[in-house]
Amino acid sequence: MQGERHLEPQKCSVPLAVEVVSLLRQFGSVVALSGVSLEIRKGEFFSLLGPSGCGKTTLLRVIAGLDLPDGGLIRISGRDAAEIPAHRRPVNTVFQSYALFPHLTVSDNIAFGLRMKKIAAAEIVDRVQRVLALMQITELATRKPAQLSGGQKQRVALARALVNEPEVLLLDEPLGALDLQLRRQLQVELHQLQRKLGITFIMVTHDQEEALVMSDRIAVMNGGKIEQLGSAREIYERPRTRFVAQFIGQCNLFKADVRPANNGDILARTELGEFSVSNVSKDPTRPGSFMAIRPEKIQLLGGATCGMKNSFAARIEGFTYCGAETRYRLLAGQQTVNVVVMNREASAVFQPGETVQCLLPAEHLILLDA
Amino acid sequence: MRRPGWFLSAIAAGLYIFLYAPIVVIIVFSFNAARFGTVWEGFTTKWYGALLHDSAALSATKNTLLLALVSTGIATLLGSLLAFGLTRFDFPGRKIFDRVLYVPVFVPDIVLATSLLLFYSLVGSFIPALELGMTTMILGHVTFQISFVAIVVRARLAGLDPALEEAARDLGAGEWKTFLHVTLPLMLPGVLAGAMLAFTLSLDDFIVSFFTSGPGSTTLPILIYSSVKRGLTPDINALATLIILISVLATVSLTWLQKNKQDPHPKK
């Protein structure tokens, strides 16, 4: 979103909010976390992204102390958290169901954490007032949760957690229960709030757009493991596994045999011909991998422009007009190819049945493990 | 909703007459001046007055209320704790304990009563405090009341979002404070409904009381039963009418409690 921060690894200078080492958690025969290790920096907006059942919520609950790991280590602000029970950890959670206490008013809900800590009554009133103002819900103070809309409950749940000034705020699908428009609005608000307060946020979400828009860094999880960890741009532009490529956004995959070329690039041999791939960091000489490219990186060229490098001919099967862009579905041999083209012209450029040339720029091609 | 036709209305009316005519009759005859029989001899409230001077009826009323209050108190406390344990903790055999909860509800009262009689006669011969009498009646009532209380409270607890208690812990409440500030206030409507149910059950009970009672612990149902054996009398009708009145009041307040439980914030 607005100017992502480049947080390069600088272990010494950036203090860690949460450190997780080889965390294990099993429920019967189901492995929820199989050796997860992570370092979350102070003040960052960190997202755990993955499909349901990938272990992201378990990881969040283990950090909160609501679930205990079967093995591994958690440090919160450098302290071993194994010895700290949930109610003494310097973290607070915004629950997916909000979990507002139905028998208490909004202000009593917000004051709950402060009262448990035996903070002086006058200070409680003051802090509750301030957080009500911060979340712009002062007029809801005397209502009961049953009298609130979904968006209002969300704000109260946030206020109830933030009033305790936690070192880390944990958010479990915080916007999951809201409709799309409200979700978009709150995504921006939540992001700005995090910047303003400087508190470390760890958010669990299955919504890739939400993760991309809000986070400094994202850990993509699958099957109890972290598949890839990086900035939104890294994860989208340079996915490292097939799972990440397909879970975040759309991706065209081509089976490929890979070998080095003379000029330092990599050559990927696919059913549609040979493609040169630049921008490859890791050892590429593995057979049976995949070559991938995002739909919007493919250029469609009309007319007979055969013999171009890194291109193949394909027939337009159909398209969907989506306002800002058009999504084309093409067929090249047996392979379906999805291409997204921005609508710079008022009329459709290509029609179904037309044969076009697909150009795959070398710098946008990605190599993935099988 | 639609209005029913005349045919359905007639059936419904017949049904309600069938259900309530006997009760109406006993209420009407409690105001009958005739000493014996079923002939109407004019309106009177003297039987109600006579009850006030009937020492047997007064002591039976006292026993009934004492029995109902004490047994309900014990059963509500134990039943609520049982429900809390069954819904919030996992232990070997939890599922079996959960199912076994229904047994006292399904077992016919007469079977329960005979087993209680046998058990307390046996135990009473070793422990004098457990000889048949008010103590064994209270214990007998608690035996069947616990299940009802536990089932009602458990339903309430099972309907609560488990995240509520987690949220309390997350906000710094230890186990005891979580129970006190979150679980207890939220389960309270269920506890009250369970207590009210247990109270009416105890008030109504004849079989268990009859089998576990001893000398001097006669309750209203037992008193009425033994008087009726000597013929129907109007003072018993008056007594029965009063019991009906109390039962109706208890049922109405129970329904009211349950309604409030479902809709905790009726006014916006």
Side-chain angles (χ1 to χ4, degrees):
Chain A
M1 214 183 130
Q2 57 261 86
E4 85 218 44
R5 289 189 293 183
H6 286 283
L7 292 161
E8 297 307 324
Q10 23 184 237
K11 281 200 172 174
C12 317
S13 58
V14 183
L16 296 178
V18 176
E19 198 183 346
V20 161
V21 185
S22 333
L23 215 54
L24 285 171
R25 182 72 177 108
Q26 251 177 295
F27 297 102
S29 61
V30 181
V31 180
L33 297 174
S34 69
V36 171
S37 297
L38 266 185
E39 290 182 345
I40 296 165
R41 298 159 191 156
K42 267 209 158 62
E44 97 178 303
F45 198 130
F46 193 93
S47 288
L48 298 167
L49 174 65
S52 58
C54 72
K56 57 193 193 301
T57 298
T58 306
L59 180 54
L60 196 79
R61 290 172 57 83
V62 167
I63 295 173
L66 297 171
D67 199 358
L68 296 175
D70 297 319
L73 195 78
I74 311 165
R75 283 200 201 94
I76 298 172
S77 302
R79 279 194 301 160
D80 185 356
E83 292 149 23
I84 317 172
H87 63 279
R88 298 236 174 76
R89 291 196 187 184
V91 302
N92 285 109
T93 307
V94 175
F95 290 83
Q96 187 172 11
S97 62
Y98 311 131
L100 300 178
F101 305 126
H103 59 298
L104 300 179
T105 62
V106 166
S107 50
D108 284 338
N109 260 286
I110 296 172
F112 191 92
L114 301 175
R115 290 201 178 121
M116 289 303 121
K117 279 183 215 119
K118 301 234 159 65
I119 286 177
E123 194 191 333
I124 293 181
V125 173
D126 188 49
R127 279 168 74 172
V128 170
Q129 283 308 321
R130 263 186 293 154
V131 82
L132 282 168
L134 176 73
M135 297 308 300
Q136 301 163 13
I137 48 172
T138 307
E139 73 282 2
L140 305 178
T142 56
R143 291 215 200 150
K144 290 272 184 81
Q147 298 164 291
L148 303 175
S149 70
Q152 290 170 333
K153 281 184 194 166
Q154 218 279 334
R155 283 166 200 267
V156 175
L158 258 170
R160 187 177 68 173
L162 286 173
V163 77
N164 303 293
E165 293 163 8
E167 285 173 36
V168 180
L169 184 75
L170 307 173
L171 303 111
D172 187 4
E173 304 264 2
L175 309 176
L178 306 173
D179 61 60
L180 186 64
Q181 214 175 350
L182 196 56
R183 205 155 68 215
R184 289 247 163 89
Q185 183 198 332
L186 282 170
Q187 278 172 8
V188 178
E189 274 187 38
L190 208 54
H191 183 88
Q192 287 170 345
L193 186 72
Q194 193 269 339
R195 283 292 120 89
K196 193 165 146 191
L197 299 173
I199 294 176
T200 312
F201 277 33
I202 305 177
M203 179 176 77
V204 155
T205 181
H206 67 271
D207 183 333
Q208 37 123 342
E209 185 199 310
E210 201 166 287
L212 293 180
V213 165
M214 295 163 84
S215 330
D216 294 315
R217 289 196 306 156
I218 300 169
V220 182
M221 291 185 69
N222 185 35
K225 282 200 168 78
I226 293 177
E227 291 260 338
Q228 190 172 350
L229 198 158
S231 70
R233 189 174 290 275
E234 279 163 19
I235 294 226
Y236 185 80
E237 300 285 342
R238 311 249 46 110
R240 237 180 279 137
T241 66
R242 221 175 126 187
F243 174 81
V244 175
Q246 289 184 307
F247 187 74
I248 320 274
Q250 258 194 320
C251 212
N252 293 298
L253 288 180
F254 307 88
K255 252 194 154 48
D257 285 327
V258 174
R259 61 182 172 82
N262 301 329
N263 63 351
D265 276 8
I266 306 296
L267 280 179
R269 185 196 302 278
T270 72
E271 282 181 351
L272 300 170
E274 263 197 341
F275 295 86
S276 77
V277 181
S278 57
N279 220 344
V280 180
S281 49
K282 50 181 195 171
D283 171 37
T285 49
R286 290 149 298 140
S289 19
F290 281 91
M291 182 184 83
I293 188 163
R294 298 284 183 194
E296 73 279 8
K297 311 282 191 196
I298 298 178
Q299 289 173 34
L300 294 185
L301 303 169
T305 41
C306 301
M308 277 182 70
K309 242 188 102 202
N310 268 22
S311 74
F312 58 82
R315 206 162 60 91
I316 304 228
E317 291 290 296
F319 64 83
T320 314
Y321 174 74
C322 303
E325 79 253 2
T326 302
R327 295 178 187 189
Y328 290 97
R329 203 172 62 255
L330 296 92
L331 200 66
Q334 299 294 323
Q335 173 105 33
T336 303
V337 181
N338 291 303
V339 179
V340 172
V341 179
M342 293 307 291
N343 289 330
R344 297 216 174 75
E345 322 294 333
S347 56
V349 184
F350 303 108
Q351 294 302 324
E354 228 175 295
T355 300
V356 295
Q357 204 66 20
C358 296
L359 181 63
L360 279 47
E363 70 272 23
H364 290 312
L365 284 169
I366 309 155
L367 293 179
L368 303 170
D369 294 334
Chain B
M1 282 204 289
R2 293 187 304 146
R3 286 180 72 92
W6 66 268
F7 184 68
L8 272 181
S9 308
I11 290 179
L15 202 69
Y16 273 87
I17 289 169
F18 175 76
L19 284 176
Y20 288 106
I23 294 174
V24 172
V25 166
I26 205 165
I27 294 172
V28 168
F29 274 82
S30 73
F31 296 106
N32 187 3
R35 184 77 192 95
F36 297 104
T38 49
V39 185
W40 185 258
E41 286 181 11
F43 181 86
T44 178
T45 55
K46 69 176 170 184
W47 308 119
Y48 288 90
L51 278 180
L52 288 175
H53 305 290
D54 183 342
S55 63
L58 284 179
S59 111
T61 309
K62 207 191 79 197
N63 282 340
T64 307
L65 289 177
L66 180 72
L67 172 60
L69 285 173
V70 175
S71 64
T72 300
I74 297 171
T76 303
L77 183 69
L78 295 180
S80 302
L81 287 175
L82 183 59
F84 183 73
L86 285 173
T87 49
R88 291 297 183 270
F89 295 94
D90 203 7
F91 47 88
R94 192 186 68 85
K95 281 223 165 96
I96 298 169
F97 281 110
D98 210 63
R99 301 285 145 81
V100 162
L101 204 55
Y102 286 98
V103 171
V105 178
F106 289 140
V107 165
D109 276 1
I110 189 72
V111 175
L112 182 67
T114 6
S115 22
L116 287 169
L117 173 62
L118 180 66
F119 181 73
Y120 287 119
S121 309
L122 216 62
V123 174
S125 55
F126 298 108
I127 310 167
L130 289 180
E131 272 174 29
L132 292 180
M134 187 47 91
T135 313
T136 52
M137 286 170 92
I138 288 171
L139 294 178
H141 280 215
V142 168
T143 309
F144 67 78
Q145 284 172 320
I146 280 183
S147 289
F148 286 95
V149 174
I151 287 166
V152 173
V153 175
R154 191 186 55 177
R156 173 77 187 172
L157 280 171
L160 290 180
D161 181 359
L164 288 171
E165 281 154 303
E166 288 180 347
R169 276 209 284 155
D170 186 74
L171 291 167
E175 210 161 327
W176 171 242
K177 279 188 170 177
T178 299
F179 180 77
L180 200 67
H181 294 290
V182 175
T183 318
L184 187 62
L186 292 175
M187 74 194 268
L188 210 54
V191 173
L192 289 178
M196 207 60 92
L197 185 64
F199 188 77
T200 26
L201 284 171
S202 168
L203 223 50
D204 273 359
D205 177 76
F206 167 72
I207 302 174
V208 173
S209 303
F210 186 72
F211 275 66
T212 51
S213 66
S217 61
T218 303
T219 60
L220 283 173
I222 298 175
L223 177 79
I224 292 171
Y225 173 73
S226 42
S227 323
V228 166
K229 278 199 292 192
R230 283 178 264 119
L232 283 161
T233 52
D235 45 349
I236 293 302
N237 295 346
L239 197 53
T241 305
L242 287 178
I243 294 176
I244 291 168
L245 189 69
I246 294 171
S247 296
V248 167
L249 285 178
T251 315
V252 168
S253 42
L254 181 70
T255 337
W256 183 79
L257 269 177
Q258 270 170 335
K259 205 175 95 186
N260 276 29
K261 178 178 87 179
Q262 281 153 6
D263 184 13
H265 314 291
K267 288 196 191 96
K268 286 260 158 176

